[in-house]
Amino acid sequence: HKLANPKSCLTRALNRVRTRQRIICTGTPIQNNVWEYFAMVDFVRPGTWDRKQFRKRYATAIQSGQTPAPTPEQVRQMEEASAQLYRDLAKLVHRCDARTLQRELPPLAEYVIRTPLSQVQAKVYNAFMAQSLKSCGTAVQLQTKRILSLSPVLYRIGNHPDLARHHCIHKGLDPLVLHTEDSDSPVDEFSFTQQDKDLTLRSKDGKDFSWARPLFVPEYQPAVLDNGTKMLAL
């Protein structure tokens, strides 16, 4: 997909590399974007088509059939264009599907192991979700509008609360380098000094970390394996 834009610096730089032969290994690009397929072929054998020819012969019909609600006629035209593209590239594209490996690989076995949240994980999770629900107003809005934006933190909480802590710092929670009164060495970024207790936690770039700071006070011990039950299972 990085070669799909012919004007990109990467594509132009690679096209200037002089080679006797070129090989590209890929998955199923035509299922994702037909123009990625064009870029792949054009890189391996430049001049096979120009973009206007490719659009007329294949792209328009294939893309019309890949819309969310295509008509039967659009589906028929897509299948015909795909079959024609397959035939035209039979000598250029070496296709291998899963059947190639079935004789060599053992049967696939999947195991689902459910691990409950530890006490620390549950505390972090509940605080984060309560703050998220408060900012959205209703559970429906939380599910429909913000679930994708919440997933990076939720994934980290589910793995280990240390990861959520580092994520907050990385994404904008001010890593205040605070000092104790009788030492010049900095303490944990989430730690309070007496002078800092009266400060209101600032949000950065619209991100609210008020849920995080009370959890990661000096009493929190990082790098404790038991705080993440998934880590114990692994």
Side-chain angles (χ1 to χ4, degrees):
H1 64 279
K2 293 183 178 180
L3 299 177
N5 182 4
K7 298 181 180 179
S8 70
C9 294
L10 176 62
T11 302
R12 289 184 294 174
L14 289 176
N15 284 332
R16 287 198 297 267
V17 178
R18 300 181 62 181
T19 59
R20 296 178 61 183
Q21 294 180 328
R22 293 177 178 177
I23 297 175
I24 285 183
C25 296
T26 185
T28 53
I30 199 169
Q31 295 182 9
N32 301 323
N33 188 319
V34 68
W35 286 106
E36 293 182 5
Y37 204 82
F38 170 83
M40 176 185 68
V41 174
D42 190 60
F43 177 76
V44 172
R45 185 174 291 179
T48 301
W49 312 289
D50 61 34
R51 297 182 72 87
K52 185 177 180 180
Q53 290 174 329
F54 186 81
R55 180 181 293 105
K56 182 178 180 180
R57 292 181 185 178
Y58 316 106
T60 300
I62 291 174
Q63 288 178 316
S64 296
Q66 292 177 331
T67 56
T71 65
E73 178 63 19
Q74 288 175 324
V75 173
R76 184 189 66 80
Q77 293 178 356
M78 176 192 68
E79 293 175 345
E80 289 181 355
S82 298
Q84 185 62 48
L85 180 61
Y86 184 98
R87 291 190 294 267
D88 291 345
L89 296 177
K91 295 182 179 180
L92 181 63
V93 178
H94 179 59
R95 293 179 174 87
C96 296
D97 57 23
R99 292 173 295 181
T100 306
L101 299 176
Q102 285 177 350
R103 296 187 300 271
E104 306 294 336
L105 296 177
L108 176 64
E110 294 184 356
Y111 300 92
V112 178
I113 302 176
R114 300 185 182 276
T115 58
L117 297 178
S118 68
Q119 291 184 353
V120 176
Q121 281 176 302
K123 186 177 180 180
V124 176
Y125 174 85
N126 290 333
F128 177 67
M129 293 305 296
Q131 177 62 36
S132 301
L133 181 59
K134 180 180 178 181
S135 63
C136 286
T138 66
V140 174
Q141 291 176 329
L142 177 65
Q143 183 176 6
T144 58
K145 295 183 179 180
R146 293 199 59 202
I147 191 64
L148 291 179
S149 64
L150 302 181
S151 59
V153 178
L154 293 176
Y155 288 146
R156 287 166 171 81
I157 295 173
N159 287 322
H160 199 283
D162 282 9
L163 299 176
R165 173 180 177 274
H166 291 306
H167 176 79
C168 290
I169 296 176
H170 178 70
K171 290 298 182 180
L173 178 61
D174 293 334
L176 301 175
V177 181
L178 306 175
H179 295 76
T180 60
E181 296 179 359
D182 56 354
S183 173
D184 291 331
S185 60
V187 297
D188 184 88
E189 290 104 333
F190 285 92
S191 299
F192 291 103
T193 60
Q194 184 62 44
Q195 293 86 351
D196 188 54
K197 287 183 178 180
D198 296 329
L199 296 179
T200 301
L201 180 63
R202 293 175 294 174
S203 297
K204 185 175 182 180
D205 298 331
K207 300 180 178 66
D208 186 358
F209 298 102
S210 58
W211 64 272
R213 187 163 188 137
L215 298 172
F216 300 116
V217 293
E219 287 74 15
Y220 177 81
Q221 296 295 326
V224 176
L225 189 64
D226 289 354
N227 286 344
T229 52
K230 186 185 292 186
M231 299 296 103
L232 292 175
L234 295 175

XYZ file of all heavy atoms in Angstrom, residues 50-92:
349
model
N -1.094 1.796 -18.334
C -1.103 3.115 -17.702
C -2.370 3.188 -16.858
O -3.248 2.330 -16.941
C -1.032 4.250 -18.731
C -2.210 4.258 -19.706
O -3.331 3.890 -19.310
O -2.005 4.621 -20.879
N -2.463 4.173 -16.016
C -3.570 4.234 -15.053
C -4.920 4.354 -15.752
O -5.919 3.793 -15.279
C -3.365 5.413 -14.091
C -2.118 5.277 -13.245
C -1.985 6.435 -12.266
N -2.949 6.364 -11.194
C -2.766 5.685 -10.059
N -1.650 5.002 -9.847
N -3.696 5.685 -9.125
N -4.974 5.035 -16.890
C -6.237 5.188 -17.607
C -6.718 3.842 -18.146
O -7.904 3.506 -18.051
C -6.060 6.193 -18.750
C -7.342 6.514 -19.495
C -7.100 7.577 -20.552
C -8.390 7.901 -21.297
N -8.173 8.953 -22.340
N -5.799 3.056 -18.713
C -6.157 1.739 -19.228
C -6.639 0.821 -18.101
O -7.635 0.105 -18.247
C -4.956 1.108 -19.922
C -4.558 1.756 -21.231
C -3.277 1.154 -21.773
O -2.413 0.713 -21.015
N -3.152 1.149 -23.102
N -5.911 0.838 -16.998
C -6.267 -0.032 -15.875
C -7.632 0.330 -15.324
O -8.433 -0.549 -14.997
C -5.197 0.077 -14.783
C -5.395 -0.883 -13.650
C -4.993 -2.203 -13.767
C -5.989 -0.469 -12.464
C -5.179 -3.098 -12.717
C -6.178 -1.354 -11.415
C -5.770 -2.677 -11.549
N -7.912 1.627 -15.218
C -9.215 2.058 -14.704
C -10.343 1.574 -15.616
O -11.376 1.074 -15.151
C -9.254 3.576 -14.583
C -10.588 4.115 -14.057
C -10.625 5.617 -13.960
N -9.712 6.127 -12.947
C -8.556 6.718 -13.212
N -8.156 6.880 -14.488
N -7.781 7.158 -12.244
N -10.136 1.709 -16.929
C -11.183 1.344 -17.887
C -11.413 -0.161 -17.925
O -12.562 -0.623 -17.978
C -10.811 1.861 -19.270
C -11.857 1.577 -20.343
C -11.432 2.168 -21.673
C -12.487 1.885 -22.761
N -12.082 2.458 -24.072
N -10.323 -0.936 -17.884
C -10.443 -2.384 -18.042
C -10.904 -3.088 -16.766
O -11.656 -4.058 -16.819
C -9.106 -2.969 -18.485
C -8.685 -2.569 -19.870
C -7.360 -3.234 -20.213
N -6.851 -2.795 -21.506
C -5.692 -3.205 -22.027
N -4.930 -4.051 -21.355
N -5.305 -2.745 -23.212
N -10.413 -2.609 -15.614
C -10.623 -3.373 -14.387
C -11.164 -2.548 -13.217
O -12.136 -2.948 -12.563
C -9.304 -4.034 -13.930
C -8.511 -4.677 -15.032
C -7.345 -4.077 -15.505
C -8.910 -5.883 -15.591
C -6.597 -4.666 -16.508
C -8.166 -6.489 -16.593
C -7.007 -5.872 -17.055
O -6.279 -6.457 -18.058
N -10.521 -1.432 -12.910
C -10.748 -0.756 -11.628
C -12.185 -0.303 -11.441
O -12.774 -0.503 -10.368
C -9.795 0.426 -11.481
N -12.775 0.330 -12.469
C -14.128 0.860 -12.321
C -15.122 -0.243 -11.980
O -15.933 -0.115 -11.051
C -14.557 1.584 -13.602
O -13.654 2.674 -13.861
C -15.973 2.125 -13.465
N -15.060 -1.345 -12.696
C -16.002 -2.442 -12.466
C -15.763 -3.109 -11.117
O -16.712 -3.424 -10.385
C -15.886 -3.471 -13.593
N -14.491 -3.323 -10.754
C -14.183 -4.004 -9.495
C -14.588 -3.141 -8.309
O -15.188 -3.625 -7.338
C -12.694 -4.359 -9.438
C -12.372 -5.445 -10.468
C -12.299 -4.838 -8.040
C -10.892 -5.766 -10.586
N -14.297 -1.856 -8.365
C -14.646 -0.976 -7.257
C -16.154 -0.808 -7.120
O -16.673 -0.715 -6.000
C -13.979 0.385 -7.450
C -12.475 0.366 -7.222
C -11.829 1.708 -7.468
O -12.122 2.394 -8.455
N -10.924 2.094 -6.589
N -16.885 -0.806 -8.235
C -18.350 -0.696 -8.165
C -18.951 -1.918 -7.492
O -19.914 -1.814 -6.721
C -18.933 -0.538 -9.576
O -18.494 0.670 -10.173
N -18.369 -3.076 -7.738
C -18.877 -4.297 -7.123
C -18.487 -4.464 -5.675
O -19.019 -5.342 -4.984
N -17.548 -3.642 -5.193
C -17.105 -3.731 -3.803
C -17.789 -2.713 -2.899
O -17.434 -2.604 -1.731
C -15.582 -3.537 -3.726
C -14.789 -4.680 -4.337
C -13.291 -4.433 -4.306
O -12.845 -3.279 -4.345
N -12.509 -5.496 -4.238
N -18.760 -1.988 -3.407
C -19.491 -1.024 -2.591
C -20.342 -1.771 -1.563
O -20.618 -2.963 -1.717
C -20.391 -0.147 -3.482
O -21.262 -0.988 -4.240
C -19.548 0.702 -4.421
N -20.792 -1.088 -0.505
C -21.570 -1.774 0.539
C -22.830 -2.463 0.036
O -23.219 -3.505 0.562
C -21.898 -0.639 1.520
C -20.796 0.366 1.324
C -20.475 0.307 -0.135
N -23.495 -1.887 -0.978
C -24.741 -2.480 -1.466
C -24.749 -2.492 -2.994
O -25.492 -1.740 -3.646
C -25.947 -1.703 -0.929
N -23.938 -3.353 -3.612
C -23.882 -3.377 -5.077
C -25.125 -4.045 -5.676
O -25.764 -4.893 -5.046
C -22.621 -4.207 -5.358
C -22.513 -5.133 -4.193
C -23.019 -4.342 -3.010
N -25.431 -3.669 -6.891
C -26.523 -4.317 -7.610
C -26.029 -5.645 -8.182
O -24.817 -5.860 -8.319
C -27.014 -3.421 -8.751
O -25.952 -3.267 -9.714
C -27.420 -2.044 -8.233
N -26.942 -6.553 -8.528
C -26.513 -7.813 -9.162
C -25.675 -7.596 -10.417
O -24.734 -8.339 -10.684
C -27.837 -8.523 -9.476
C -28.792 -7.986 -8.447
C -28.386 -6.553 -8.252
N -26.003 -6.573 -11.182
C -25.232 -6.286 -12.389
C -23.818 -5.826 -12.045
O -22.848 -6.201 -12.713
C -25.954 -5.219 -13.220
C -25.222 -4.784 -14.486
C -25.041 -5.934 -15.484
O -25.754 -6.945 -15.382
O -24.158 -5.790 -16.368
N -23.684 -5.004 -11.015
C -22.356 -4.568 -10.596
C -21.519 -5.738 -10.095
O -20.319 -5.808 -10.348
C -22.478 -3.498 -9.504
C -22.966 -2.156 -10.004
C -23.188 -1.165 -8.879
O -23.629 -1.523 -7.785
N -22.877 0.100 -9.136
N -22.160 -6.669 -9.387
C -21.446 -7.853 -8.918
C -20.979 -8.693 -10.106
O -19.855 -9.196 -10.133
C -22.338 -8.680 -7.978
C -21.673 -10.014 -7.626
C -22.649 -7.905 -6.705
N -21.840 -8.845 -11.093
C -21.470 -9.622 -12.281
C -20.293 -8.987 -13.011
O -19.337 -9.670 -13.405
C -22.674 -9.739 -13.220
C -22.423 -10.611 -14.448
C -23.576 -10.501 -15.437
N -23.654 -9.157 -16.005
C -22.862 -8.728 -17.005
N -21.928 -9.520 -17.517
N -23.011 -7.503 -17.474
N -20.345 -7.671 -13.180
C -19.249 -6.975 -13.860
C -17.953 -7.058 -13.061
O -16.871 -7.186 -13.633
C -19.639 -5.517 -14.106
C -20.774 -5.341 -15.104
C -21.169 -3.889 -15.302
O -20.636 -2.987 -14.638
N -22.111 -3.633 -16.199
N -18.058 -6.982 -11.739
C -16.872 -7.109 -10.901
C -16.237 -8.488 -11.071
O -15.015 -8.614 -11.202
C -17.242 -6.887 -9.440
C -16.082 -7.088 -8.464
S -16.579 -7.156 -6.725
C -17.483 -8.721 -6.714
N -17.053 -9.524 -11.058
C -16.531 -10.879 -11.194
C -15.887 -11.082 -12.563
O -14.849 -11.741 -12.677
C -17.658 -11.890 -10.971
C -18.175 -11.901 -9.533
C -19.371 -12.808 -9.350
O -19.976 -13.195 -10.379
O -19.715 -13.119 -8.193
N -16.480 -10.519 -13.595
C -15.904 -10.639 -14.932
C -14.574 -9.901 -15.028
O -13.600 -10.416 -15.594
C -16.874 -10.094 -15.980
C -18.102 -10.956 -16.198
C -19.014 -10.397 -17.261
O -18.726 -9.279 -17.768
O -20.015 -11.056 -17.615
N -14.523 -8.679 -14.467
C -13.282 -7.907 -14.513
C -12.187 -8.582 -13.697
O -11.013 -8.610 -14.107
C -13.532 -6.487 -14.003
N -12.540 -9.146 -12.542
C -11.556 -9.834 -11.706
C -11.015 -11.068 -12.412
O -9.809 -11.351 -12.366
C -12.188 -10.228 -10.366
O -12.602 -9.082 -9.652
N -11.915 -11.823 -13.064
C -11.473 -13.010 -13.791
C -10.570 -12.634 -14.958
O -9.566 -13.314 -15.231
C -12.696 -13.787 -14.292
N -10.894 -11.542 -15.639
C -10.050 -11.100 -16.744
C -8.683 -10.639 -16.249
O -7.650 -10.936 -16.856
C -10.739 -9.956 -17.501
C -9.994 -9.494 -18.749
C -9.862 -10.595 -19.774
O -10.841 -11.278 -20.087
N -8.658 -10.803 -20.299
N -8.661 -9.941 -15.132
C -7.393 -9.517 -14.541
C -6.551 -10.722 -14.146
O -5.336 -10.746 -14.354
C -7.667 -8.627 -13.324
C -6.452 -8.089 -12.561
C -5.586 -7.227 -13.457
C -6.900 -7.298 -11.333
N -7.203 -11.733 -13.617
C -6.511 -12.975 -13.233
C -5.869 -13.620 -14.451
O -4.705 -14.038 -14.411
C -7.520 -13.918 -12.583
C -6.933 -15.202 -12.056
C -6.622 -15.334 -10.711
C -6.712 -16.298 -12.901
C -6.100 -16.519 -10.203
C -6.183 -17.479 -12.413
C -5.872 -17.578 -11.073
O -5.348 -18.741 -10.591
N -6.615 -13.688 -15.538
C -6.081 -14.311 -16.753
C -4.947 -13.490 -17.357
O -3.933 -14.043 -17.813
C -7.204 -14.498 -17.781
C -8.232 -15.541 -17.391
C -9.163 -15.842 -18.568
N -9.979 -14.675 -18.907
C -11.200 -14.462 -18.405
N -11.715 -15.312 -17.521
N -11.889 -13.405 -18.766
N -5.091 -12.181 -17.364
C -4.076 -11.327 -17.982
C -2.741 -11.403 -17.254
O -1.687 -11.163 -17.854
C -4.558 -9.874 -18.017
C -5.707 -9.675 -18.995
O -5.939 -10.577 -19.830
O -6.390 -8.635 -18.911
N -2.780 -11.714 -15.948
C -1.549 -11.731 -15.155
C -1.116 -13.149 -14.779
O -0.281 -13.321 -13.899
C -1.751 -10.905 -13.872
C -2.000 -9.414 -14.083
C -2.258 -8.731 -12.749
C -0.830 -8.758 -14.791
N -1.656 -14.141 -15.450
C -1.357 -15.527 -15.095
C 0.131 -15.837 -15.166
O 0.656 -16.630 -14.372
C -2.137 -16.470 -16.007
N 0.848 -15.222 -16.104
C 2.276 -15.494 -16.256
C 3.149 -14.577 -15.409
O 4.358 -14.772 -15.347
C 2.678 -15.356 -17.720
C 2.030 -16.372 -18.634
C 2.511 -16.215 -20.070
C 1.878 -17.259 -20.976
N 2.328 -17.120 -22.378
N 2.538 -13.615 -14.769
C 3.300 -12.639 -13.985
C 3.123 -12.845 -12.481
O 4.069 -12.651 -11.712
C 2.866 -11.219 -14.362
C 3.577 -10.061 -13.660
C 5.062 -10.061 -14.001
C 2.948 -8.729 -14.048
